[in-house]
Amino acid sequence: MHPVRQLLAALLIPPASHAAFAATHYPLSMTNCGVELRFESAPERSVTVGQSATEMLYMLGLVDTVEGTSVWFNPVLPQFSKINAGIERIADNDPSFEAVVNKKPDLVAVQYEWHVGSTGSVGSRRQFHDLGINTYIMPADCDTKNNATGGDGTRLAAFSTSSVYKGIHQLATIFDVQSAGAALVADLKAREAQAVMRAENLDLPDDLSAVFWFSSPDLETDPYVAGRLGAPGYMMEKLGIRNVIESDEEWPTVGWETIAKADPDLIVIAYMDRRRYAADDVQKKRDFLRKDPVASQMTAVKAGRIVEMDAHAMSATMRTIFGLESLADALSDMTFTP
């Protein structure tokens, strides 16, 4: 093991903690997003398709298994910047099927089902499984969600952080690092509880409303905004904020005229390093809101109530908890007048 990786693994997984958890018994079988998986042993080589999957493996102390990563929105979590720099980035966005297979992984860990699903843009699960490569999709993207509707899918019920914790526990079991999984879940639950408590203590108006703008194909078309049941919906529910977008789609496109008519008190805009669309640039979002004849008339724009949030926190990931923290911080510094 590389010395830096060895040190990181030691820091993340205190040796004495292993004794408290039973080891995984192989062969291990489980159902993941409707597909039956079987592991004869702990995977030794993994490739990630999605930043959330990458960071989760890092957090579990499994950096030594990661042979390649792909699909990045923003820089890796700061504590992993050095180690991540030493791992090959196969692609900033969607990798090819061949590029993933060429890394000879035992497991492909996936953030979004539309990348690796029944008809994935990278490849289907069947394609990987036919080559003896297991695939694991984060439950946060398939539990309570139908990805067969196209686009980013449709939520059948509200996102819950329990699906994030489920993914952590299952990956920890697959790799036989249960103690690391339990420690990570405990830490995230504590942060979530503290953020919710802080939110409950904020003296916010009872009728506060918001819209979350992720991006737009270009600045002349309708934006991708958060539906009511995804990760932003979870944040708003915890903060007692009404989402002016009532769709169950994960990221529906809604016209600015419709949004302006709803006149949200707060606009949350995603910042990201990704540049797939023109509106990925947070400054271009701000310039649009300030100059567009319709958007510029909204109360939130006139009052300067525009909050920047890590784009990855707006997806159903463990960073959603960090997003809840940052939104509570931003609201604590705002003034709302009748």
Side-chain angles (χ1 to χ4, degrees):
M1 183 185 296
H2 189 283
V4 174
R5 293 186 175 189
Q6 191 171 32
L7 175 60
L8 181 58
L11 289 172
L12 287 173
I13 311 174
S17 65
H18 286 285
F21 296 88
T24 299
H25 293 288
Y26 299 100
L28 170 69
S29 297
M30 68 170 58
T31 302
N32 170 243
C33 294
V35 174
E36 293 297 321
L37 303 180
R38 180 182 172 91
F39 297 88
E40 298 298 332
S41 60
E44 296 182 355
R45 298 172 63 89
S46 62
V47 169
T48 57
V49 181
Q51 184 171 348
S52 175
T54 307
E55 292 180 337
M56 196 170 286
L57 291 184
Y58 289 176
M59 293 287 274
L60 288 171
L62 296 167
V63 292
D64 197 45
T65 73
V66 182
E67 299 296 330
T69 70
S70 58
V71 189
W72 288 84
F73 289 94
N74 276 327
V76 72
L77 291 169
Q79 64 267 42
F80 302 117
S81 58
K82 183 178 292 186
I83 191 69
N84 189 64
I87 295 176
E88 181 182 352
R89 181 173 296 195
I90 299 172
D92 289 332
N93 294 305
D94 298 12
S96 68
F97 177 76
E98 292 76 14
V100 175
V101 171
N102 285 344
K103 302 304 291 183
K104 297 180 173 57
D106 304 310
L107 174 69
V108 178
V110 184
Q111 179 173 345
Y112 298 116
E113 191 171 12
W114 69 271
H115 279 136
V116 180
S118 57
T119 57
S121 64
V122 176
S124 70
R125 301 190 82 175
R126 179 183 290 274
Q127 283 178 284
F128 283 107
H129 294 179
D130 284 348
L131 295 176
I133 302 170
N134 264 316
T135 58
Y136 181 85
I137 299 171
M138 295 300 142
D141 193 58
C142 62
D143 285 4
T144 73
K145 189 180 176 192
N146 180 6
N147 288 310
T149 59
D152 292 298
T154 301
R155 287 281 170 184
L156 305 176
F159 160 77
S160 166
T161 51
S162 62
S163 63
V164 175
Y165 302 142
K166 175 182 175 181
I168 294 170
H169 281 307
Q170 288 189 332
L171 279 173
T173 301
I174 290 169
F175 283 91
D176 194 18
V177 291
Q178 289 88 333
S179 58
L184 177 55
V185 168
D187 177 67
L188 290 172
K189 283 186 174 181
R191 292 184 65 166
E192 181 181 16
Q194 289 169 359
V196 170
M197 184 179 300
R198 179 169 186 189
E200 290 174 346
N201 291 332
L202 295 177
D203 187 20
L204 299 175
D206 292 336
D207 59 346
L208 194 65
S209 62
V211 65
F212 279 60
W213 178 16
F214 190 84
S215 191
S216 308
D218 63 66
L219 291 166
E220 303 304 318
T221 59
D222 295 343
Y224 293 118
V225 291
R228 67 189 183 94
L229 299 177
Y234 153 84
M235 286 184 253
M236 285 185 269
E237 188 274 330
K238 293 297 182 184
L239 290 163
I241 299 173
R242 176 177 59 85
N243 189 354
V244 300
I245 307 300
E246 297 183 352
S247 173
D248 290 348
E249 290 182 44
E250 191 86 339
W251 292 102
T253 53
V254 180
W256 283 110
E257 292 81 2
T258 301
I259 297 171
K261 186 176 181 181
D263 197 24
D265 299 300
L266 183 72
I267 300 174
V268 184
I269 58 177
Y271 65 83
M272 66 189 88
D273 285 358
R274 188 193 79 171
R275 290 295 181 267
R276 175 174 284 184
Y277 303 126
D280 286 351
D281 188 329
V282 72
Q283 189 55 52
K284 289 185 178 180
K285 288 187 180 78
R286 284 189 173 276
D287 291 343
F288 173 85
L289 291 172
R290 181 170 51 86
K291 296 176 181 178
D292 182 77
V294 174
S296 61
Q297 299 307 302
M298 290 189 288
T299 298
V301 178
K302 290 182 175 180
R305 292 197 291 267
I306 300 172
V307 176
E308 295 182 10
M309 180 179 288
D310 173 8
H312 212 41
M314 291 189 184
S315 294
T317 69
M318 62 183 175
R319 283 205 189 196
T320 298
I321 296 166
F322 309 157
L324 178 65
E325 292 173 327
S326 67
L327 186 54
D329 288 343
L331 287 170
S332 67
D333 294 330
M334 290 185 180
T335 300
F336 298 90
T337 56

